[in-house]
Amino acid sequence: MDELIYSLPDLKATELLAKKIASFIKPHDSILLYGPLGVGKTSLARALLRVVCRDPYMEVPSPSFTLVQQYDTFEFSLYHYDLWRLNHEDDLIELDWEDAKEGVTLVEWPERLGSLIPDNALQIHLSIQSETLRHARLTGWPDRLSLLSV
């Protein structure tokens, strides 16, 4: 299986996708969220963080200005990056990119990673279909992608 397509008609569907993904995350994983402004990258990231941290009401600020937020879960540290304001991939050195890869990295605007895009990352390409409908195309995770279709 090379890819999966999910329809996301509302926030509930986004949360269900996040729950599926969270059940297969392990240390050293990278989850890359692609798509234009307003497509729902931050909503998916928040839902995923709430599931992984086992706190459905957890406040999850967008790391738009800090560029990275760290969350310590029971199994690993998760680093949520928003690279919208990143000027060059070399700037990731200051954001502890190499250390973060020991845990799990969740990246909005991964295009800014340039040559640092991790191998075997789960790539989620979000697209706007209508005012409320989004599509998520998942690729990567060759050993686990098919498990997300169940």
Side-chain angles (χ1 to χ4, degrees):
M1 177 172 296
D2 293 337
E3 71 177 18
L4 291 174
I5 305 289
Y6 283 92
S7 289
L8 305 174
D10 53 27
L11 184 58
K12 186 74 169 167
T14 300
E15 291 168 345
L16 288 172
L17 176 59
K19 189 174 183 177
K20 280 185 179 188
I21 293 167
S23 65
F24 295 103
I25 293 175
K26 57 187 179 184
H28 305 283
D29 276 344
S30 289
I31 301 164
L32 311 179
L33 303 177
Y34 294 89
L37 282 171
V39 75
K41 293 182 298 293
T42 300
S43 294
L44 181 57
R46 282 187 176 123
L48 186 63
L49 283 160
R50 287 177 178 142
V51 172
V52 169
C53 292
R54 300 178 188 167
D55 184 351
Y57 305 106
M58 180 175 75
E59 185 66 31
V60 181
S62 173
S64 294
F65 295 102
T66 59
L67 301 181
V68 64
Q69 294 282 347
Q70 179 180 344
Y71 299 87
D72 293 318
T73 73
F74 295 101
E75 294 86 22
F76 46 76
S77 291
L78 191 147
Y79 299 83
H80 178 198
Y81 286 87
D82 183 330
L83 302 182
W84 173 250
R85 295 179 41 232
L86 192 74
N87 292 318
H88 192 273
E89 65 187 64
D90 291 342
D91 296 338
L92 280 166
I93 294 168
E94 296 175 30
L95 299 175
D96 296 323
W97 178 251
E98 288 303 315
D99 291 336
K101 291 190 310 182
E102 295 300 314
V104 172
T105 55
L106 173 61
V107 183
E108 297 182 54
W109 302 102
E111 302 89 339
R112 307 265 161 98
L113 289 171
S115 65
L116 299 176
I117 290 179
D119 294 332
N120 295 320
L122 176 62
Q123 297 187 32
I124 304 172
H125 296 264
L126 296 163
S127 61
I128 298 172
Q129 303 301 307
S130 71
E131 189 173 317
T132 57
L133 179 63
R134 306 295 189 254
H135 277 177
R137 182 174 57 88
L138 284 63
T139 60
W141 276 7
D143 59 332
R144 292 172 275 165
L145 188 63
S146 65
L147 300 173
L148 295 173
S149 67
V150 176

